[in-house]
């Protein structure tokens, strides 16, 4: 399994660990003007949950793949946290903020995979 696929799979696991929902993997490979290979987009229901999801993703990637983010932004208000792992960007939103920025709509030309929510 290549490293980027492992990153994406481990990020999804980290999101699910804290009951993040609405996980969408946006495959940006082959598109012009992209900054990475994949976006992983998800949401939490409160700023506290958004922060917990970000922490879970960070912890899981450090422990399982020895990966650290290049940059993390948005933890101050935890309405939209972006975590940069170079080939993969993680976007963790509050529902209203996610709807407003509509990353899935902005990248509608990309292949998108929706991961079912865990019960």
């Amino acid at each position: 399994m290549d490293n980027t696929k492992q990153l994406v799979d481990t990020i999804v696991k980290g999101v699910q660990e804290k009951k993040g929902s609405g996980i969408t993997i946006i495959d940006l490979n082959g598109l012009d003007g992209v900054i990475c290979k994949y976006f992983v987009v998800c949401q939490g229901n409160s700023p506290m949950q958004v922060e917990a999801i970000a922490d879970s993703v960070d912890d899981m990637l450090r422990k399982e793949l020895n990966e650290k983010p290049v940059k993390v932004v948005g933890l101050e208000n935890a309405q939209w946290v972006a975590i940069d792992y170079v080939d993969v960007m993680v976007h963790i939103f509050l529902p209203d903020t996610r709807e407003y920025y509509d990353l899935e709509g902005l990248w509608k030309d990309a292949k998108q995979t929706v991961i079912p929510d865990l019960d």
Side-chain angles (χ1 to χ4, degrees), residues 32-100:
D32 290 334
V34 297
I35 59 171
C36 62
K37 294 180 181 179
Y38 292 91
F39 281 169
V40 178
V41 182
C42 67
Q43 67 190 43
N45 293 317
S46 67
M48 187 180 293
Q49 186 183 18
V50 167
E51 189 174 337
I53 293 166
D55 288 344
S56 176
V57 167
D58 182 52
D59 290 346
M60 203 159 281
L61 283 172
R62 284 175 192 266
K63 287 177 188 166
E64 293 190 12
L65 302 178
N66 200 30
E67 290 280 349
K68 293 184 276 191
V70 174
K71 183 105 172 137
V72 179
V73 294
L75 285 172
E76 310 78 39
N77 60 17
Q79 297 197 14
W80 175 4
V81 174
I83 310 171
D84 182 355
Y85 287 99
V86 182
D87 286 341
V88 183
M89 286 281 298
V90 183
H91 299 274
I92 309 164
F93 289 98
L94 287 177
D96 290 347
T97 308
R98 181 179 188 172
E99 185 178 326
Y100 179 80

